[in-house]
């Protein structure tokens, strides 16, 4: 069924109970888009809540509205209650209910009107209304466009603007990838005109790491990075023990997977992180090689063409072995 702008507006009219959900292991775009939407909907007069499936990095905890976020894993009863009471649910920055982790079950059971705003390929039809565009830098940019489409520009205040700016900044690696559309800069310009201090946002996100995180990065690059020039590939693996040694906190490995890609002639990078359930994988590529396809096919994952993730229930050793055994098929002669 097609919904008009007026139909959608009715779903977020004053006093409606709206819930915002984002994906597991939320990143800057997930939180920026969610809190941008949160602050906007509050300005609309809605009763709004944000639920994340699990914890998110400390460097995002300054975002306006952060204190209102409910982490499903830590507060299940409260989160389930919020989901079941919502009239409207926004699903932001994910394309499949499974990406919402455990929230998936409450989400599927909910009778609320569901709106998906996302930029991942091939969104699944689990919602009532979809705004999806893979060519757009970030979900945060799509949220801005959504608000404009609703004709509600005047409700974008500093809190909304700062959150959305953070989402765009982080999902483009500070405007280095997914950021070749002029429209992105129009949106950024509008947000800056609303008073966003770009340098302040940068400082809070990128100059806020612990000393241990910096040392862990040094260790990864010096001791743990494996470069396979023959396959234009490089990867880093980190065991639970190594993470513990560096007092690992959620978010500490953010960005690590991008470093190998800056080596000349390396076009495929992977990061393997051991956790309690197995190994979490991150993939990045340059050019035509789709890590989304690779991850979907071999590691039960997905994402974008040049940035994707997945999971493995094998041991670290076997996961790395499996990964390496796939390389000849994709990059070079099978001998
Ligand atoms: P990252 O490597 O930064 O965790 O994720 C890169 C991209 O892949 C993001 O768009 C993220 O949503 C997606 N992604 C990460 N892990 C998974 C996963 O396990 N499954 C799917 N479908 N997508 C993932
Ligand atoms: Mn995103």
């Amino acid at each position: 069924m097609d919904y008009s702008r007026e139909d959608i507006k009715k779903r977020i009219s004053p006093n409606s109970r709206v819930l915002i959900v984002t994906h597991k292991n939320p990143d800057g775009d997930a939180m920026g888009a969610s809190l941008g939407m949160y602050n906007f909907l509050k300005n609309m007069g809605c009763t709004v809540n944000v639920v994340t499936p699990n914890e998110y990095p400390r460097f995002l905890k300054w975002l306006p509205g952060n204190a209102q976020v409910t982490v499903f894993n830590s507060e299940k009863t409260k989160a389930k209650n919020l989901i079941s009471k919502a009239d409207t649910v926004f699903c932001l920055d994910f394309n499949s209910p499974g990406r919402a982790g455990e929230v998936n079950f409450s989400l599927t059971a909910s009778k609320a009107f569901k709106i998906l705003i996302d930029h991942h390929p091939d969104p699944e039809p689990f919602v009532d209304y979809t705004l999806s565009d893979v060519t757009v830098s970030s979900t945060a940019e799509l949220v801005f466009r959504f608000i404009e489409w609703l004709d509600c520009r005047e409700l974008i205040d500093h809190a909304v603007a700062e959150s959305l700016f953070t989402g765009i900044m982080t999902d483009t690696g500070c405007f280095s990838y997914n950021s070749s559309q002029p429209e992105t800069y129009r949106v950024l310009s509008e947000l800056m005109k609303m008073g966003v201090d770009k340098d302040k946002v940068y400082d809070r996100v990128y100059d806020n790491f612990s000393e241990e995180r910096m040392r862990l990065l040094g260790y990864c690059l010096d001791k743990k990075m494996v470069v396979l020039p023959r396959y234009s590939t490089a990867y880093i693996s980190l065991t639970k023990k190594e993470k513990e040694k560096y007092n690992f906190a959620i978010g500490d490995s953010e960005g690590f997977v991008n470093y190998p890609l800056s080596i000349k002639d390396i076009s495929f990078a992977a990061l393997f992180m051991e956790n309690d359930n197995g190994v979490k994988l991150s993939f990045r590529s340059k050019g035509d090689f789709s890590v989304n396809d690779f991850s979907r096919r071999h590691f039960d994952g997905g994402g974008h063409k040049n940035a994707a993730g997945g999971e493995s229930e094998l041991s670290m050793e076997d996961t790395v072995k499996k990964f390496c055994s796939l390389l000849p098929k994709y990059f070079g002669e099978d001998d």
Side-chain angles (χ1 to χ4, degrees):
M1 175 172 175
D2 283 343
Y3 293 95
S4 69
R5 182 191 334 231
E6 289 318 308
D7 294 330
I8 300 299
K9 252 184 163 166
K10 268 186 218 142
R11 306 285 174 175
I12 50 172
S13 52
N15 300 322
S16 18
R17 282 169 302 190
V18 186
L19 183 84
I20 298 164
V21 185
T22 189
H23 60 79
K24 204 173 145 189
N25 305 324
D27 57 8
D29 188 30
M31 294 316 297
S34 295
L35 288 169
M37 182 64 91
Y38 166 84
N39 287 297
F40 162 68
L41 292 172
K42 265 187 63 176
N43 294 343
M44 287 286 282
C46 304
T47 304
V48 203
N49 281 283
V50 178
V51 169
T52 63
N54 59 346
E55 259 303 346
Y56 49 97
R58 205 173 44 99
F59 62 78
L60 297 170
K61 299 233 163 182
W62 60 274
L63 283 165
N66 175 67
Q68 308 303 319
V69 176
T70 304
V71 178
F72 189 92
N73 270 1
S74 325
E75 291 182 273
K76 282 193 188 168
T77 311
K78 181 183 171 197
K80 281 183 185 169
N81 207 16
L82 291 173
I83 298 168
S84 70
K85 286 208 171 116
D87 308 311
T88 302
V89 174
F90 280 89
C91 299
L92 300 185
D93 203 36
F94 62 101
N95 56 358
S96 146
R99 290 283 294 138
E102 266 193 81
V103 176
N104 174 13
F105 306 107
S106 316
L107 199 59
T108 312
S110 150
K111 297 272 181 294
F113 185 82
K114 298 186 191 101
I115 300 176
L116 174 74
I117 302 184
D118 180 45
H119 67 144
H120 291 89
D122 310 319
E124 287 178 21
F126 66 104
V127 298
D128 301 289
Y129 182 84
T130 298
L131 169 58
S132 162
D133 190 337
V134 289
T135 69
V136 174
S137 69
S138 54
T139 299
E141 182 179 336
L142 278 172
V143 168
F144 182 92
R145 295 197 200 177
F146 176 74
I147 297 172
E148 273 190 333
W149 175 74
L150 290 175
D151 231 348
C152 292
R153 266 289 299 272
E154 73 285 357
L155 296 181
I156 301 184
D157 60 10
H158 190 267
V160 177
E162 200 169 48
S163 306
L164 297 181
F165 191 93
T166 304
I168 302 175
M169 188 182 225
T170 52
D171 240 27
T172 59
C174 284
F175 321 116
S176 54
Y177 42 78
N178 299 338
S179 49
S180 300
Q181 303 284 346
E183 177 68 7
T184 302
Y185 297 90
R186 196 222 13 122
V187 173
L188 290 166
S189 155
E190 301 285 343
L191 296 174
M192 287 178 77
K193 280 185 220 154
M194 286 160 201
V196 174
D197 180 343
K198 174 182 79 66
D199 298 337
K200 181 184 122 186
V201 174
Y202 183 92
D203 185 69
R204 291 192 163 176
V205 174
Y206 294 103
D207 292 339
N208 213 354
F209 294 122
S210 64
E211 178 183 338
E212 283 129 324
R213 186 264 185 195
M214 291 305 286
R215 295 197 187 281
L216 176 64
L217 173 61
Y219 171 68
C220 283
L221 297 180
D222 185 23
K223 305 279 187 248
K224 299 299 315 256
M225 184 171 69
V226 177
V227 182
L228 305 169
R230 184 175 186 185
Y231 303 120
S232 309
T233 298
Y235 67 86
I236 295 168
S237 63
L238 269 185
T239 62
K240 278 205 293 188
K241 220 168 164 188
E242 289 166 320
K243 284 159 68 181
E244 276 157 25
K245 184 174 167 212
Y246 287 90
N247 211 0
F248 186 87
I250 287 174
D252 278 358
S253 60
E254 198 81 26
F256 282 16
V257 65
N258 292 305
Y259 284 92
L261 267 194
S262 55
I263 300 171
K264 186 173 176 299
D265 297 331
I266 294 299
S267 56
F268 182 28
L271 175 71
F272 303 86
M273 300 283 293
E274 190 181 27
N275 56 35
D276 291 338
N277 311 314
V279 180
K280 175 80 201 148
L281 299 96
S282 275
F283 300 114
R284 298 292 185 271
S285 68
K286 274 186 184 166
D288 280 342
F289 180 61
S290 168
V291 286
N292 176 30
D293 292 345
F294 180 85
S295 189
R296 275 182 192 228
R297 192 161 304 155
H298 303 293
F299 292 103
D300 195 22
H304 306 276
K305 184 178 157 203
N306 295 124
E311 279 159 358
S312 163
E313 285 173 3
L314 302 173
S315 67
M316 176 64 93
E317 200 187 334
D318 288 345
T319 303
V320 172
K321 260 192 203 153
K322 175 178 170 183
F323 173 79
C324 289
S325 75
L326 291 164
L327 296 174
K329 182 170 163 221
Y330 288 94
F331 298 93
E333 68 282 66
D334 210 342
D335 50 25

